Structures are given as C-alpha cells and as structure tokens.
C-alpha cells in the first residue's frame, strides 16, 4: 500500500510547528527511511500515519484514500507499529505479548498463540523463549518480540520509530540485517525512523533527510544521495569522513549485497537461488 503525504503540516497547541508543508510519496512494498536530528519532526510524521496525531493541514492518503475519513481503530488494525523500547507488557509472556492485539480483535486465543509461535520463527527468536517475560530477555530479543507483535495483525504497513536505538552496535547490526531479510520475504510498506544516517542508507529504498520542521533536505535512493548530496547541510549530515565505514544494501543480479560508500562489495546478505 502506498502512503502519500500531501502538503501536510502539524502545529502543536503551544505554537511549535513540528511539520511544515511535507509532501512525499512512500511507494508500496518499499522501505522509506525518515532520517534527521532529534526534534526534526520524525515521530510526528510517523504518528500521523496511524492517526495517533492529527495533521493541522494537508492530507495523508493510503492507496489514494484520505485516512482522515477512516475509522482510526480499523485503520490501525492494518498498521504495525514498533517503538524504541519495544513497548512490551511486562506482566505478559513473550507469546502473549505477540498475541495480544489479535486476541483483542477477536481471534481465538489458541489460534493467536499458534500464530505467535510462527512469528517467533519469522523474527528469529527461539520458541523456547515463548513463556519468558520481557525482563528475562536481552534488549535485542525484546526488539524481536516488538517486531513480531507488530506483524501479528498481518499489517500491510509497518511503522518503526528508532526501533534499534537502545541496543548495542553488534546486536543493532543483527537486527538491521534481519529487517532486510524480513522485508525481502514479506514486502510490507515500511516507514522507518532513525537519526542514524548509516542505518538509513542500509535499510532505505528511499531515504528522506529532514531538517527542522520536517523540511526535506534531500530525498532519493542511498546511491543518489551519496553520489550527489543536494546541499552542504546534506553533505555535513552524511558526514565528510564516512569513508568506507558506512555500508548499504544493494540489489544485484545475484541477490542483496552490502556495499561500502564507494561501492565496494563488503558481503552478501541474501543470495538469490539460481
Ligand atoms: P523527532 O522524532 O524527530 O525527534 P518530534 O516529532 O518528536 O521529532 O518533535 C518535533 C518537534 O515538535 C520538536 O520541536 C518537539 O519538541 C515538538 N513536539 C513534539 N511533540 C510535541 C507536543 N506534544 N507538544 C508540543 N511540541 C511537541
Ligand atoms: Mg522521535
């Protein structure tokens, strides 16, 4: 499902203009990454998609239908939402955390739990963790539960707000690789928010670099932005000395490979079967 922002703005009651005239098309089955410093309006943009925040102006459409006309509760059933701290219920086991929303939506408990176990496989969590509580999991494992829970309603759209912000760099890389693999299998429309440009280039089919007020500094594929930064702001933001450190995923005729900032292949993520 394609998401489109048409001249959207958001002014909070205290007068803060968090989003100023934002227009972007987020293509179906692709990952759009919104990247910018803290306070640039990323979370506000994301939460307008599932109507946790209402725009002050403009319109957001999903497959050309304005979401303002949709029932918010029904709208949210088709949208998975993953938060930074995973947002798990502490007194619910892993399997029940994943099954919560389907059960609330009327799916029989046994069926929701069976599906939850399958989703643990999907996100790479051993089923042995099913009966544990969130506090008995590592940060990375909690995030996997968060992703499984977001997938439990079988959404067409997945919103992720700095989901890997709180985990250490090695686990973070594992989770990023997992998202790339998942996306190749599931082909959701993903909107991913981060302040980390390397993460943006790694995960994004389309990357939107934001300044304050969610003003678009540049929008394009990682390659387009790396090869041709639109302004000094963008050049600064992507870092003059990124050198060979930053990797991003690239589709080739053989599969998905990781390439560095100057285009050298650094590894293979997913090999296509011949
Ligand atoms: P980001 O996620 O990029 O850090 P946010 O969307 O959270 O940015 O915030 C954008 C701007 O809006 C910031 O200046 C922030 O202080 C302000 N803001 C966010 N939420 C509110 C609110 N509920 N009331 C007033 N201002 C807010
Ligand atoms: Mg935020």
């Amino acid at each position: 499902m394609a998401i489109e922002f048409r001249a959207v703005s958001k002014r909070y009651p205290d007068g803060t203009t968090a989003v100023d005239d934002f227009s972007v098309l987020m293509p179906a089955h692709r990952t759009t990454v919104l990247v910018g410093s803290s306070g640039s309006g990323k979370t506000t943009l994301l939460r307008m998609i599932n109507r946790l925040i209402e725009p002050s102006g403009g319109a957001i459409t999903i497959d050309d239908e304005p979401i303002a006309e949709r029932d918010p509760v029904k709208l949210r059933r088709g949208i998975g939402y993953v938060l930074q701290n995973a947002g798990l219920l502490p007194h619910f086991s892993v399997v029940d955390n994943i099954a919560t929303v389907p059960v609330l939506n009327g799916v029989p408990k046994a069926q929701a739990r069976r599906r939850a176990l399958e989703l643990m496989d999907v996100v790479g969590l051993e089923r042995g963790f099913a009966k544990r509580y969130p506090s008995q999991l590592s940060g990375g494992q909690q995030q996997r539960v968060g992703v499984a829970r977001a997938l439990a309603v079988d959404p067409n759209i997945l919103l992720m707000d700095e989901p890997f912000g709180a985990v250490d760099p090695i686990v973070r890389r594992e989770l990023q690789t997992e998202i790339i693999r998942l996306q190749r299998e599931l082909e959701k429309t993903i909107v991913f928010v981060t302040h980390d440009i390397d993460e943006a280039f790694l995960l994004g089919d389309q990357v939107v670099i934001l300044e304050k007020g969610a003003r678009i500094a540049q929008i394009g594929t990682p390659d387009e932005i790396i090869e041709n930064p639109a302004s000094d702001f963008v050049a600064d933001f992507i870092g003059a000395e990124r050198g060979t450190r930053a990797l991003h995923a690239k589709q080739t005729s053989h599969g998905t490979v990781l390439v560095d900032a100057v285009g050298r292949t650094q590894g293979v993520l997913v090999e296509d079967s011949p």
Side-chain angles (χ1 to χ4, degrees):
M1 296 197 146
I3 304 166
E4 188 170 8
F5 283 74
R6 301 180 181 166
V8 171
S9 59
K10 174 63 189 181
R11 183 198 282 265
Y12 285 108
D14 68 357
T16 307
T17 300
V19 173
D20 183 20
D21 193 18
F22 181 85
S23 297
V24 159
L25 175 67
M26 303 174 175
H29 312 300
R30 294 285 177 273
T31 302
T32 294
V33 179
L34 306 173
V35 58
S37 320
S38 174
S40 54
K42 305 180 297 294
T43 296
T44 303
L45 288 171
L46 204 66
R47 290 165 69 91
M48 287 195 284
I49 298 172
N50 58 7
R51 295 192 62 192
L52 292 172
I53 296 176
E54 294 296 337
S56 327
I60 299 168
T61 63
I62 294 179
D63 283 350
D64 284 325
E65 292 192 19
I67 61 171
E69 290 161 20
R70 304 268 308 270
D71 173 52
V73 175
K74 286 187 192 148
L75 173 74
R76 278 175 217 140
R77 276 187 200 147
I79 301 180
Y81 187 28
V82 185
L83 296 156
Q84 174 166 347
N85 54 11
L88 301 179
L89 303 165
H91 304 298
F92 277 37
S93 65
V94 165
V95 69
D96 285 337
N97 262 286
I98 299 170
T100 301
V101 178
V103 168
L104 285 175
N105 288 344
V107 176
K109 205 162 189 175
Q111 185 185 329
R113 283 196 171 142
R114 267 200 307 279
R115 177 71 186 135
L117 292 173
E118 289 169 12
L119 285 166
M120 290 181 70
D121 303 339
V122 171
V123 300
L125 262 182
E126 284 172 43
R127 289 187 180 202
F129 290 123
K131 291 194 174 140
R132 292 206 192 171
Y133 290 88
S135 63
Q136 299 171 302
L137 302 179
S138 70
Q141 289 163 343
Q142 290 182 24
Q143 281 312 117
R144 287 178 197 262
V145 178
V147 174
R149 192 180 54 168
L151 291 172
V153 293
D154 199 21
N156 292 308
I157 293 171
L158 205 53
L159 309 179
M160 309 184 84
D161 195 349
E162 311 216 23
F164 311 143
V167 297
D168 67 66
I170 292 170
V171 174
R172 187 171 179 139
R173 179 48 59 88
E174 282 173 19
L175 290 168
Q176 290 166 342
T177 306
E178 198 73 19
I179 289 294
I180 293 169
R181 183 188 65 75
L182 265 179
Q183 178 59 350
R184 278 183 55 107
E185 278 174 27
L186 304 176
E187 297 208 312
K188 307 289 183 191
T189 304
I190 297 182
V191 188
F192 191 105
V193 160
T194 181
H195 59 262
D196 178 346
I197 189 68
D198 293 338
E199 184 164 82
F201 286 156
L202 181 65
L203 299 181
D205 298 305
Q206 165 170 268
V207 173
V208 188
I209 300 180
L210 300 170
E211 295 185 60
K212 207 167 162 19
R215 285 181 203 93
I216 298 174
Q218 189 164 2
I219 177 167
T221 65
D223 282 351
E224 284 164 359
I225 295 173
I226 291 165
E227 282 161 20
N228 204 355
S231 63
D232 289 346
F233 174 86
V234 173
D236 270 358
F237 192 78
I238 69 179
E241 308 160 284
R242 289 175 65 246
T244 58
R245 183 173 57 93
L247 302 176
H248 60 286
K250 189 165 183 162
Q251 311 292 328
T252 71
S253 50
H254 307 294
T256 307
V257 298
L258 278 176
V259 296
D260 64 22
V262 293
R264 285 188 301 230
T265 301
Q266 298 284 338
V268 177
L269 279 175
V270 187
E271 223 169 331
D272 284 338
S273 35

